[in-house]
Amino acid sequence: MIITAKGTPVTQRMIPELATVEVIILEDTNQVRIISPVSLKTRWNYIDVDLEPPSNGRVTSIDLHGISTACVDLGNDKADWVDQMLSSLRNKKCTGYRIVSIAKDSSRRVHYSPARLLMTDTRSHDGTFLSDLAPLSLTSESSLQALNKEIGAQSDISMDRFRSNMVMHANPDISINLSFVEDWFEQIQVGTLKLRIMGPTFRCVIPSVDQNTGAAGFRRNVTEAEPLKTLKRVRSGGVRYGLTGFLPVRMGGSKGFAPLFGVYVGVDSENADAIVRVNDPIRVLSYR
């Protein structure tokens, strides 16, 4: 994760152009490769970062969505590369940025944070690393199709704007309308892994960012930016889930109740051990 000199996490809410940075997993070396979308004058256009945090790195406490956790600084070389990448990407000098990784054996527990109030079903073992508030998120293609239809004939909002871990595709033999059916899930099984719905995903301004170009609708006019405008009309989070929409825009607020799209998902058992694969079947075990 990129942080500022003051230790503030950097997201597309602050720098939408980060959407154009490519990250790929290097399984052979247990690393991730971060690739700059623009040419850098004095450095390689990519850096490789170890998935295992260094044992001798400087440890710092990072607060993300009100949940603090220990992170390890990945060093000056990585920080210098990020400064140059951001400077080239934004066409202005950027300094003081760092890259950190969550410390070994650390996790963020939403169950013990104020964010728990925005969830319907958290457990003490629900842990995540440097994602928002839940281990996993689930969206559905049927819901996205319904959203695009609601926006208008020319709408082509893509699923990557919602940055979900799992995307549900309906069986083509099923003829009934399954849009937003995930709202009613309580417990599901994906492959052999049993999962529990923690609550609806309340959305910040990032879905208005084109993930291919970095163009941010919220920068032009946050109240008119799609898909937020339409989601607020048909999928408002209201007082129960939407209060984050009144945060400052730089923190993801959208000048009104935050809309809902998708669901947060937790692993049902603390001792669960399974691999989820593309095309695994999803079985609904119980509904709300």
Side-chain angles (χ1 to χ4, degrees):
M1 182 174 68
I2 298 175
I3 61 172
T4 68
K6 294 182 178 181
T8 303
V10 177
T11 71
Q12 293 180 38
R13 292 184 284 268
M14 298 168 61
I15 306 178
E17 295 87 355
L18 285 173
T20 62
V21 176
E22 184 180 2
V23 179
I24 60 175
I25 298 175
L26 306 176
E27 294 186 8
D28 292 343
T29 57
N30 200 33
Q31 294 175 310
V32 292
R33 176 164 293 176
I34 307 173
I35 305 172
S36 171
V38 291
S39 297
L40 306 183
K41 294 181 180 179
T42 61
R43 288 182 174 269
W44 293 100
N45 281 4
Y46 66 87
I47 55 170
D48 293 337
V49 177
D50 293 333
L51 289 174
E52 188 79 12
S55 58
N56 60 347
R58 179 173 60 90
V59 177
T60 183
S61 180
I62 300 298
D63 185 287
L64 181 61
H65 299 311
I67 311 173
S68 296
T69 191
C71 289
V72 179
D73 189 288
L74 299 188
N76 292 334
D77 187 55
K78 302 291 192 299
D80 290 344
W81 186 90
V82 167
D83 281 347
Q84 289 199 30
M85 184 270 291
L86 291 177
S87 297
S88 298
L89 189 62
R90 306 182 73 190
N91 293 316
K92 66 178 183 180
K93 189 171 182 61
C94 297
T95 60
Y97 291 90
R98 313 288 299 183
I99 296 185
V100 297
S101 173
I102 195 165
K104 188 175 181 180
D105 299 324
S106 293
S107 67
R108 296 164 56 246
R109 301 295 177 107
V110 67
H111 188 75
Y112 300 106
S113 79
R116 176 186 178 184
L117 299 175
L118 299 173
M119 302 290 195
T120 55
D121 188 1
T122 67
R123 307 285 172 86
S124 60
H125 67 264
D126 286 326
T128 184
F129 296 123
L130 297 176
S131 57
D132 279 354
L133 294 173
L136 299 166
S137 62
L138 171 71
T139 54
S140 93
E141 290 185 346
S142 297
S143 301
L144 180 64
Q145 291 170 6
L147 173 60
N148 275 313
K149 184 177 180 180
E150 193 70 39
I151 294 173
Q154 304 303 315
S155 177
D156 190 25
I157 298 295
S158 56
M159 187 62 84
D160 59 2
R161 294 199 184 201
F162 297 98
R163 308 171 321 284
S164 48
N165 304 98
M166 299 182 293
V167 178
M168 181 172 61
H169 176 72
N171 186 325
D173 296 330
I174 298 177
S175 58
I176 61 174
N177 182 4
L178 293 177
S179 56
F180 304 110
V181 69
E182 61 273 17
D183 291 349
W184 304 102
F185 294 169
E186 181 178 57
Q187 188 182 48
I188 61 176
Q189 182 171 320
V190 182
T192 61
L193 183 64
K194 290 184 178 180
L195 301 170
R196 164 180 37 84
I197 307 306
M198 296 172 61
T201 305
F202 37 93
R203 294 293 172 174
C204 66
V205 294
I206 292 180
S208 73
V209 178
D210 187 314
Q211 297 297 297
N212 293 316
T213 67
F218 74 86
R219 276 184 172 174
R220 295 189 295 272
N221 187 335
V222 69
T223 59
E224 294 294 319
E226 293 290 8
L228 299 177
K229 179 182 178 181
T230 297
L231 278 174
K232 283 185 172 186
R233 176 170 56 83
V234 300
R235 302 275 302 163
S236 171
V239 175
R240 177 68 175 87
Y241 301 110
L243 289 179
T244 56
F246 292 95
L247 292 170
V249 174
R250 62 181 174 80
M251 297 175 64
S254 52
K255 296 186 177 181
F257 289 118
L260 308 178
F261 189 88
V263 290
Y264 285 126
V265 180
V267 178
D268 203 45
S269 169
E270 185 175 9
N271 300 315
D273 184 13
I275 296 175
V276 174
R277 294 180 172 85
V278 175
N279 293 325
D280 272 352
I282 297 179
R283 178 186 173 200
V284 181
L285 301 179
S286 62
Y287 291 90
R288 296 191 184 282

